[in-house]
């Protein structure tokens, strides 16, 4: 079996590592991949958003499965295009992925199917947004409609902040729709689920750390670390989410004629009025994938094949009863400007403590690695307790050096599993 994975982050490295475990897999290509995938896969120099390039590659090399992981090729309809050419794909169609690529669509969908979420007002353009921001309730959350990779969301505690956020999100874009949302309060969890459109199987809940610095300070990033499972997401909460959120979502999508097949990732806020959806993602999360896939004891390829066949109910999906965590190391300056090409050392040593998933790394001619992105890599580790998993991650992180490296030192520190062990 030959597989092509689309993408080049830590998440794709983790997906590739899970897929290669299946003995039937002879080859994995990753487009474009990174320094980590180069070690056991073949990186292909095609951008994740280059639909004609990916199609041409598939026609020449005939992969048995293409796994489309990032949000943008899904939003561009890569799965639809490849399937039209009889190339088997894992991932939702463009219409199903609209749950992620249009916040407006997702909001209208949740309203129609009574799925709990923040109340909202959609301003269709800059003029409507400017008028509404003067009278909207405060606090308020403003979101630019469309894919913004986490950077199009501003939580505003005062009217001045809201006015400034609106001006910034609308700047130079008179037609940009802006979503105004009630501010939800409570712990946030990411629940990634396998679904074939009829059956939905949640993975253990994870918690991401989006802010750049300790204490949830600094700018929003792609994610600086994660852990799983999350104590506040109890068995009772999981059952409630299944009834009120997960099943209504896949049933609603089926009723809309857009059955969702792939990974559906629920970003939830556990408020005092119950769990509410912050947003949907139509894909694996990054870095959540680097903590949940190491807990998966069943075969990922079998699950993906089962999902494509619409037979997820017949496939074994089991996770080990352990803790998992990961700590992301980033380039100095990230998420703003940063330098690339810094030599990375200590990678082999770090593997003694956990698994290093590469993101912004490049393997150079002499076989060593240099930085090539903002989030450079993460060290992921499991353990019998959260503390043990985190200790292993940080031991690994301590061995890895590159100029300007920074990471958060407080991943998982708010979870009561950790507090209790003190
Ligand atoms: P999103 O890109 O929609 O996931 O938003 C990025 C982050 O903004 C989320 O992870 C939350 O921490 C925060 N956020 C988004 N929507 C809300 C909301 N309605 N209330 C409070 N915080 C929110
Ligand atoms: N960890 C956030 C995301 O993948 O969108």
């Amino acid at each position: 079996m030959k597989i092509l994975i689309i993408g080049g982050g830590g998440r794709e490295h983790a997906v590739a590592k899970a897929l290669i475990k299946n003995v039937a897999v002879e080859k994995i290509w990753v487009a474009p991949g990174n320094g980590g995938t180069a070690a056991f896969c073949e990186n292909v120099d095609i951008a994740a958003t280059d639909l004609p390039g990916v199609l041409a590659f598939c026609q020449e090399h005939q992969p048995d499965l293409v796994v489309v992981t990032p949000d943008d090729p899904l939003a561009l309809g890569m799965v639809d295009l490849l399937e039209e050419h009889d190339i088997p794909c894992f991932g939702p169609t463009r219409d199903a992925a609209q749950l992620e690529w249009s916040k407006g669509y997702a909001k209208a969908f949740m309203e129609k199917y009574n799925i709990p979420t923040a109340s909202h007002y959609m301003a269709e353009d800059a003029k409507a947004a400017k008028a509404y921001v003067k009278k909207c309730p405060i606090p308020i959350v403003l979101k630019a409609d469309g894919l913004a990779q986490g950077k199009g969301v501003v939580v505003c505690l005062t009217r001045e902040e809201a006015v400034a956020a609106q001006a910034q999100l609308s700047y130079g874009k008179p037609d940009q729709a802006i979503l105004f949302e009630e501010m939800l309060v409570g712990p946030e969890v990411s629940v990634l689920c396998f679904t074939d459109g009829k059956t939905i199987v949640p993975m253990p809940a994870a918690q991401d750390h989006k802010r750049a610095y300790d204490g949830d300070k600094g700018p929003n990033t792609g994610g600086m670390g994660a852990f799983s499972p999350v104590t506040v997401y109890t068995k009772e909460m999981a059952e409630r989410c299944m009834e009120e959120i997960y099943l209504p979502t896949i049933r609603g999508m089926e009723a809309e004629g857009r059955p969702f097949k792939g990974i559906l990732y629920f970003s939830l806020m556990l408020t005092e009025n119950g769990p509410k959806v912050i947003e949907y993602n139509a894909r694996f999360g990054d870095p959540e994938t680097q903590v949940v896939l190491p807990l998966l004891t069943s075969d990922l390829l079998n699950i993906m094949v089962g999902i494509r066949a619409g037979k997820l109910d017949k496939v074994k999906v089991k996770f080990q009863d352990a803790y998992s965590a990961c700590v992301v190391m980033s380039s100095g300056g990230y998420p703003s400007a940063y330098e690339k090409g810094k030599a990375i050392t200590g990678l082999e040593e770090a593997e003694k403590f956990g698994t290093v998933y590469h993101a912004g790394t490049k393997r150079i001619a002499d076989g060593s690695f240099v930085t090539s992105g903002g989030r450079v890599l993460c060290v992921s580790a499991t353990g019998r307790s959260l503390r043990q998993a985190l200790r292993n991650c940080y031991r690994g992180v301590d061995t890895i050096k590159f100029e300007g490296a920074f990471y958060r030192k407080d991943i998982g520190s708010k979870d009561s599993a950790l507090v209790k062990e003190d």
Side-chain angles (χ1 to χ4, degrees), residues 12-32:
E12 284 76 9
H13 190 188
V15 170
K17 277 220 170 195
L19 289 175
I20 199 84
K21 285 190 200 158
N22 185 309
V23 290
V25 176
E26 327 148 39
K27 175 156 194 108
I28 300 181
W29 294 280
V30 192

Side-chain angles (χ1 to χ4, degrees), residues 16 39 81 148 244 269 328 346 373 388 397:
L81 176 74
E244 295 178 13
M269 194 79 97
V328 173
Q388 195 184 47
V397 163

Side-chain angles (χ1 to χ4, degrees), residues 1-4 24-27 29 58 61-67 83 86-90 301 305 308:
M1 185 129 181
K2 297 186 180 124
I3 300 175
L4 169 65
V25 176
E26 327 148 39
K27 175 156 194 108
W29 294 280
C58 291
H61 297 275
Q62 300 288 328
D64 300 294
L65 184 68
V66 181
V67 180
E83 291 276 359
D86 293 323
I87 298 156
C89 261
F90 179 82
L301 181 59
V305 170
R308 285 202 77 247

Side-chain angles (χ1 to χ4, degrees), residues 8-12 33-35 70-71 149-151 208-212 219-226 265 283-290 326-340 344 356-362 370-379 402 404-408:
R11 160 183 69 187
E12 284 76 9
N34 58 41
D71 52 3
Q149 309 198 313
K151 290 174 194 134
D208 189 7
H209 295 65
K210 286 206 159 93
R211 299 298 192 99
N220 262 323
T221 69
M224 293 294 290
Y265 153 179
R283 53 174 175 82
F284 279 113
D286 191 330
E288 289 91 333
T289 304
Q290 295 92 303
C326 79
V327 177
V328 173
M329 298 180 77
S330 298
S331 296
Y334 172 78
S336 300
Y338 53 84
E339 290 176 17
K340 298 182 185 176
I344 309 170
V356 180
Y357 292 113
H358 293 231
T361 74
K362 206 164 79 179
V370 296
T371 65
S372 68
R375 284 192 295 176
V376 175
L377 53 82
C378 76
V379 181
F402 55 89
F406 80 96
Y407 56 89
R408 279 184 62 162

Side-chain angles (χ1 to χ4, degrees), residues 181-200:
E181 253 186 31
E182 163 200 10
M183 186 176 87
L184 300 176
V185 180
E188 221 176 308
V189 292
S190 304
V191 183
L192 282 57
C193 301
F194 293 112
T195 179
D196 62 0
K198 295 192 292 284
T199 303
I200 184 158

Side-chain angles (χ1 to χ4, degrees), residues 103 107 117-119 140-143 148-155 179-186 188 190 208 210-211 220-221 265 267-269 271 277-281 283:
K103 290 183 191 289
K107 278 293 186 187
T117 185
S119 58
I140 192 93
V141 180
L142 271 67
K143 302 185 177 184
Q149 309 198 313
K151 290 174 194 134
V153 176
V154 193
V155 179
L179 182 68
F180 289 75
E181 253 186 31
E182 163 200 10
M183 186 176 87
L184 300 176
V185 180
E188 221 176 308
S190 304
D208 189 7
K210 286 206 159 93
R211 299 298 192 99
N220 262 323
T221 69
Y265 153 179
S267 192
L268 305 175
M269 194 79 97
T271 75
V277 178
I278 300 175
E279 65 164 358
Y280 292 113
N281 292 306
R283 53 174 175 82

